[in-house]
Amino acid sequence: MAFYSALAESIDAYTGLSPVAFFTIVALMVGVYFLVSGFFVYPEDEAASKSSPPPPQQQAPPPEPFVPPEPVQVGDITLEELQAYNGSDPKKPLLMAIKGQVYDVSIGRLFYGPGGAYSFFAGRETSRALALMSFDPRDLNSDLEDLNEAELEVLHDWEEKFKEKYVKVGQIVSEKSKDGNEDENSKQIKENLE
Ligand code: HEM
Ligand SMILES: *[C@@H]1O[C@H](CO)[C@@H](O)[C@H](O)[C@H]1NC(C)=O
């Protein structure tokens, strides 16, 4: 009892509290410490302490990544035929032309596929639009005559990027040279005969 009365005296001397009040306050502080530190438990610690051993988990199979088919060469193609590859037919690749060279941009379908930010480029000759950094549909052509050096340089950079990233699968031909060396006139005659 001598120990207890000495303890009670020193608690009173240092804190001015009765032993009961002192130990109540200490107990509350300890409680608050554990309560507050419990907020900062790492999630993995919590999971580990709650579930040991971990319950057998049903792993969902990972989603199949979309793999576009290998680029197929289309060879000579007219602007009109190129339109068929604008993304409206999901079975066809996405093609896009720069300076008459046709690239398969199917791996960039997030850009050029339906709903993509640049879907209007698909199935089109895009040289002028890229050179001018233009979204105007009237610039979807290969007309470069009035462009300045800087604009042609921009186009060149785009072309380099596409050569590097995509597979070239063909080249634009004008209607008349599509089949052999026919000129527009003889083709027209042939069409009239069909
Ligand atoms: C508001 C201005 C623009 C912004 C913020 C922008 C942003 C972007 C971004 C973030 C990408 C993705 C790059 C990557 O992940 O590789 C991209 C790609 C592209 N941008 Fe833009 N862009 C802008 C204007 C234009 C304009 C004016 C053109 C041409 C007319 C253009 C043509 C392209 C093309 C062709 C690609 C795709 C390149 C590829 O196939 O890898 N962009 N753009
Ligand atoms: C794609 O081209 C086809 C013709 O081949 C046309 O009917 C369709 O409207 C075009 N779609 C887009 C998104 O331009």
Side-chain angles (χ1 to χ4, degrees), residues 35-169:
L35 183 72
V36 172
S37 61
F39 295 151
F40 298 103
V41 162
Y42 282 108
E44 51 262 47
D45 288 355
E46 196 176 29
S49 65
K50 272 187 189 154
S51 61
S52 48
Q57 291 207 331
Q58 285 222 330
Q59 286 282 88
E64 292 276 320
F66 177 83
V67 182
E70 280 297 301
V72 174
Q73 293 295 320
V74 295
D76 289 353
I77 186 168
T78 66
L79 286 175
E80 211 171 82
E81 291 165 339
L82 189 69
Q83 278 263 11
Y85 302 89
N86 64 8
S88 57
D89 183 348
K91 291 190 292 292
K92 287 196 164 70
L94 292 165
L95 302 187
M96 170 171 163
I98 299 172
K99 291 204 216 169
Q101 308 298 298
V102 178
Y103 299 90
D104 186 326
V105 295
S106 299
I107 59 166
R109 72 192 181 289
L110 292 180
F111 296 136
Y112 309 109
Y118 304 114
S119 58
F120 48 85
F121 285 152
R124 309 299 292 263
E125 163 60 72
T126 61
S127 297
R128 186 180 177 82
L130 290 176
L132 298 176
M133 296 295 282
S134 162
F135 291 151
D136 189 331
R138 287 170 298 183
D139 290 325
L140 288 170
N141 58 61
S142 57
D143 182 5
L144 306 177
E145 233 148 77
D146 58 333
L147 299 191
N148 64 32
E149 276 300 308
E151 290 159 345
L152 291 173
E153 181 63 25
V154 169
L155 178 56
H156 178 77
D157 289 347
W158 279 117
E159 191 183 18
E160 290 304 309
K161 180 184 165 78
F162 274 71
K163 275 185 190 164
E164 205 174 282
K165 182 169 179 183
Y166 301 111
V167 177
K168 190 203 150 190
V169 293

